[in-house]
Amino acid sequence: MKSRSKYKTRQREILVEYLKSVAGEHITASDVFNYFKEQGATIGQSTIYRQLESLVDDGIINKYIIDANSPACFEYVDHDSHKDGKVCYHCKCEKCGCLIHLKCDELSGTLDHLYAEHRFKLDPKRTVFYGVCEKCI
Amino acid sequence: MKSRSKYKTRQREILVEYLKSVAGEHITASDVFNYFKEQGATIGQSTIYRQLESLVDDGIINKYIIDANSPACFEYVDHDSHKDGKVCYHCKCEKCGCLIHLKCDELSGTLDHLYAEHRFKLDPKRTVFYGVCEKCI
DNA sequence: TTGCGTGCAAAGGTTTTGCATGGCA
DNA sequence: TGCCATGCAAAACCTTTGCACGCAA
């Protein structure tokens, strides 16, 4: 948590509102830009990048790096949907490029094992599992 | 494995030689470029990018995406260290940046589970597990 | 000889930055 | 009023692409 916003601005508010409204989806910076452009409520792209970074630092959204030359994805952190205690993992298909949200108890167990036995605390927010999806196998 | 090199060129040979000589280190495309520039044995940067991609496809090197706005890293795959038949997983510490080579049967079991139950065939060559290492916890 | 590999330069796309202006507290 | 946030444009950055030439098989 490097930075923390000090002012409550219109731009930040409608940005969070938008991200909340599409919770569960993966949104890129340009998605955000285009959305507000269509709405007529333009936000400068530098503001979008700066606010997204700030929101990540504040834990309000997550940032996913899918691929080196794809834009970063952002996703609203729905604290309610974590009530089942299950973490959401991200699987990226190398062939079709689709992104899969996965909740898997066995995988969660493995993370515990990694921590207990190998002293490595895996960060599911940051880790993307690459492979081949159902449709492309 | 999308592409596979058909010709054996001087550029590919010295590139592999170099990567082998720094096995275990993380090398970026520009590291490679600068290295050969210093050596006087210039290789065009597009050739470097194309060959690196090709070597990844051929399983000779691995590619790691460390961060959205950092250049991709490449690392020579030491096949000799695979003689026990166990797959080597890569864990990257978000704090100190160290890379851990991990052989873990439980993790391998989880990959089987992912495939059997979720129809997702995880690619250990392509996947980097991000988290916090022992020293940084 | 065939067609893949190379290299240069230019383009591509995402993200960052400089600086003057605007707006929150 | 004092700063932080914004927005525009331009830069920075890594990577890819087009095209003509070179070279391996």
Side-chain angles (χ1 to χ4, degrees), chain B residues 45-60:
Chain B
Q45 66 168 1
S46 42
T47 300
I48 289 170
Y49 277 104
R50 284 189 273 234
Q51 281 294 354
L52 285 173
E53 210 56 45
S54 163
L55 290 167
V56 169
D57 292 337
D58 290 352
I60 293 165

Side-chain angles (χ1 to χ4, degrees), chain A:
Chain A
M1 246 177 246
K2 290 154 279 182
S3 79
R4 191 173 274 282
S5 64
K6 299 183 177 175
Y7 290 172
K8 187 173 161 185
T9 62
R10 176 188 67 89
Q11 287 87 342
R12 186 181 175 95
E13 238 172 329
I14 63 176
L15 179 50
V16 171
E17 200 176 325
Y18 167 60
L19 289 167
K20 196 182 286 186
S21 77
V22 290
E25 286 179 50
H26 288 89
I27 304 296
T28 66
S30 81
D31 287 339
V32 174
F33 186 73
N34 291 327
Y35 171 77
F36 284 114
K37 203 171 182 180
E38 285 171 12
Q39 298 285 310
T42 324
I43 307 184
Q45 66 169 0
S46 41
T47 300
I48 288 169
Y49 278 103
R50 285 190 271 233
Q51 280 294 353
L52 285 173
E53 211 56 48
S54 163
L55 290 168
V56 170
D57 291 339
D58 290 352
I60 293 165
I61 61 176
N62 283 343
K63 180 182 187 176
Y64 300 108
I65 301 154
I66 304 304
D67 203 317
N69 241 33
S70 306
C73 290
F74 298 88
E75 185 185 8
Y76 183 75
V77 176
D78 190 353
H79 292 282
D80 289 340
S81 82
H82 290 183
K83 278 178 179 164
D84 59 6
K86 292 186 183 179
V87 184
C88 184
Y89 304 100
H90 292 83
C91 301
K92 173 81 177 178
C93 178
E94 291 174 17
K95 292 193 179 174
C96 72
C98 72
L99 189 70
I100 300 161
H101 290 241
L102 193 71
K103 289 185 181 181
C104 172
D105 291 329
E106 183 145 340
L107 194 43
S108 297
T110 303
L111 298 214
D112 295 341
H113 167 84
L114 273 182
Y115 185 53
E117 295 300 319
H118 305 281
R119 312 305 300 165
F120 186 78
K121 192 174 182 180
L122 196 146
D123 180 1
K125 287 208 313 284
R126 185 78 176 66
T127 301
V128 178
F129 299 93
Y130 286 91
V132 183
C133 80
E134 194 167 6
K135 287 166 289 185
C136 297
I137 287 174

Side-chain angles (χ1 to χ4, degrees), chain B residues 8 21 31 36-40 49 51 53 59 64 69-70 80 82 85 89 117 125 129-131 134:
Chain B
K8 187 171 160 186
S21 76
D31 288 340
F36 284 114
K37 203 171 181 180
E38 285 169 13
Q39 298 284 311
Y49 277 104
Q51 281 294 354
E53 210 56 45
Y64 303 111
N69 243 32
S70 308
D80 288 342
H82 292 180
Y89 304 100
E117 294 299 319
K125 283 211 316 286
F129 299 94
Y130 290 93
E134 195 166 6

